[in-house]
Amino acid sequence: MNCITRALAAAVLAFGLGGPALAQIGGPVTGTPSNPITSPGTADELELMKALNGGRIAGRVSIPDAQSASLIQPEGREWRDFHNRTLTWVGGIAVLGMLGILVVFYMTKGRIRIDAGPAGRTIKRFNGFERAAHWMTATSFVVLGLSGLNLTFGRFLLLPVIGPEAFTAVSLWGKIAHNYLAFPFTLGIVLLFLVWVKDNIPNARDIAWFKAGGGLLGRGHNHPEAGRFNGGQKMVFWITVLGGALVAASGYILIFPFTVTDIAGMQLAHIVHGVLSVLMVAAMIAHIYIGSVGMEGAFDAMGSGEVDLNWAKEHHSLWVEEEMAKARETIGGPAGAKAAGAD
């Protein structure tokens, strides 16, 4: 029975859809009373879809692009359902959930102040190259994130507000920016990894840092010891590097379609790209909050590169001790050294 069904389906495909497929590409099509030319949506097509039980339906084309012969692909319906429903829910919960958490945190704890107050003296935190690499990655990510969120939520949130013409223009320029800014974002990820990986290796102090809530949940000099980067910053670093690498790789598969994979691989790349992107957006919202309005003195690290000494002692005490030791050694010279001309 199954063989008969497949044979009938093949016959319907040959005689029912062969004509329209050729007609669409400009091929010669003739119809006879015994073999009429049918159009999409006729009873023959519906019977074909029923016979194939949801299988892939393809016509015949005379152009080199074989992909254009695909008329119906069942996996495409699954991908559309993911994009229109699943990704929307995942992104909404992640982004709105993080915003809600930060609002509650700010309302209950306020801005995290320097417990000892500003010292009036600063210490070098990041040099110019490090800050340039950070801001190149950060600004690229902001545009990539906003343009990507527009693809998922724009038709629900932005389109009703600005209208179809403006929304079309915003989406078009957002797509162009999304494609081209992928390259500086990837370069920034590589540079940040090379510059900071040595200081972001997890260790036992990070466990103690997380147990103490990073010193953000209490007052009174309850800050745990930390080196140049604490446990939370290390987590952001690896989210940025590993997550960014996967997002970039999957994004390039979509920018250059059918270069390294088929349609099924591209749909998988889109799923990976979409889910990881919205999760990274949620994580970076928290990172931006802490580095700006959430904590006094934090923005200076990436602003001027100089941070208040008391801020540094509270959040990176071990790193301050190391820097002070280096400074004393530079000024005083190696142990046992004598000034020139001394006995």
Side-chain angles (χ1 to χ4, degrees), residues 247-322:
V247 167
S250 57
Y252 288 130
I253 292 176
L254 301 176
I255 292 178
F256 304 103
F258 305 110
T259 302
V260 297
T261 185
D262 56 9
I263 187 66
M266 291 177 60
Q267 289 171 345
L268 177 60
H270 175 266
I271 293 174
V272 172
H273 191 81
V275 171
L276 287 181
S277 294
V278 293
L279 295 180
M280 284 189 66
V281 168
M284 292 306 112
I285 289 175
H287 176 62
I288 293 171
Y289 167 80
I290 292 296
S292 56
V293 299
M295 178 180 293
E296 181 184 11
F299 181 80
D300 295 335
M302 280 301 166
S304 63
E306 302 275 345
V307 295
D308 186 84
L309 184 59
N310 282 347
W311 180 91
K313 289 180 178 179
E314 291 178 6
H315 299 285
H316 303 277
S317 58
L318 298 179
W319 171 73
V320 172
E321 292 176 4
E322 293 174 0

Side-chain angles (χ1 to χ4, degrees), residues 208-251:
W209 188 92
F210 282 110
K211 287 182 177 180
L216 302 180
L217 303 180
R219 296 288 186 181
H221 307 282
N222 189 32
H223 299 284
E225 292 183 339
R228 191 182 189 196
F229 296 102
N230 57 42
Q233 292 167 333
K234 290 180 180 180
M235 183 174 67
V236 171
F237 173 83
W238 290 111
I239 288 175
T240 302
V241 170
L242 298 181
L246 289 174
V247 167
S250 57

Side-chain angles (χ1 to χ4, degrees), residues 97-300:
M98 179 58 71
L99 289 173
I101 291 173
L102 294 177
V103 169
V104 172
F105 184 84
Y106 184 81
M107 292 177 64
T108 55
K109 305 296 292 185
R111 193 180 195 198
I112 305 300
R113 300 289 181 180
I114 301 175
D115 290 337
R121 298 167 54 197
T122 61
I123 183 173
K124 188 73 172 180
R125 180 87 172 125
F126 298 115
N127 60 39
F129 178 81
E130 292 172 313
R131 301 201 308 278
H134 169 272
W135 285 117
M136 178 177 67
T137 310
T139 52
S140 299
F141 179 81
V142 169
V143 178
L144 290 170
L146 291 176
S147 56
L149 289 174
N150 179 60
L151 294 177
T152 303
F153 300 102
R155 64 184 180 277
F156 305 116
L157 303 178
L158 194 59
L159 176 59
V161 176
I162 65 176
E165 291 81 6
F167 178 73
T168 300
V170 169
S171 299
L172 175 61
W173 285 106
K175 176 183 179 298
I176 295 173
H178 199 93
N179 289 345
Y180 283 99
L181 288 179
F183 299 100
F185 173 74
T186 305
L187 176 61
I189 293 294
V190 174
L191 293 178
L192 293 181
F193 175 79
L194 295 176
V195 172
W196 287 339
V197 64
K198 66 181 185 302
D199 298 315
N200 279 279
I201 305 301
N203 53 48
R205 287 195 302 269
D206 301 326
I207 299 176
W209 188 92
F210 282 110
K211 287 182 177 180
L216 302 180
L217 303 180
R219 296 288 186 181
H221 307 282
N222 189 32
H223 299 284
E225 292 183 339
R228 191 182 189 196
F229 296 102
N230 57 42
Q233 292 167 333
K234 290 180 180 180
M235 183 174 67
V236 171
F237 173 83
W238 290 111
I239 288 175
T240 302
V241 170
L242 298 181
L246 289 174
V247 167
S250 57
Y252 288 130
I253 292 176
L254 301 176
I255 292 178
F256 304 103
F258 305 110
T259 302
V260 297
T261 185
D262 56 9
I263 187 66
M266 291 177 60
Q267 289 171 345
L268 177 60
H270 175 266
I271 293 174
V272 172
H273 191 81
V275 171
L276 287 181
S277 294
V278 293
L279 295 180
M280 284 189 66
V281 168
M284 292 306 112
I285 289 175
H287 176 62
I288 293 171
Y289 167 80
I290 292 296
S292 56
V293 299
M295 178 180 293
E296 181 184 11
F299 181 80
D300 295 335

Side-chain angles (χ1 to χ4, degrees), residues 33-83:
S34 61
N35 181 28
I37 300 176
T38 59
S39 60
T42 63
D44 286 342
E45 183 179 352
L46 297 176
E47 288 297 321
L48 173 62
M49 294 176 65
K50 184 185 298 183
L52 293 178
N53 194 25
R56 179 176 177 271
I57 301 176
R60 290 176 294 176
V61 296
S62 60
I63 61 178
D65 184 11
Q67 295 293 334
S68 62
S70 297
L71 301 178
I72 296 178
Q73 182 196 209
E75 291 81 3
R77 292 193 293 267
E78 298 173 3
W79 170 84
R80 184 174 63 237
D81 184 70
F82 161 79
H83 181 270

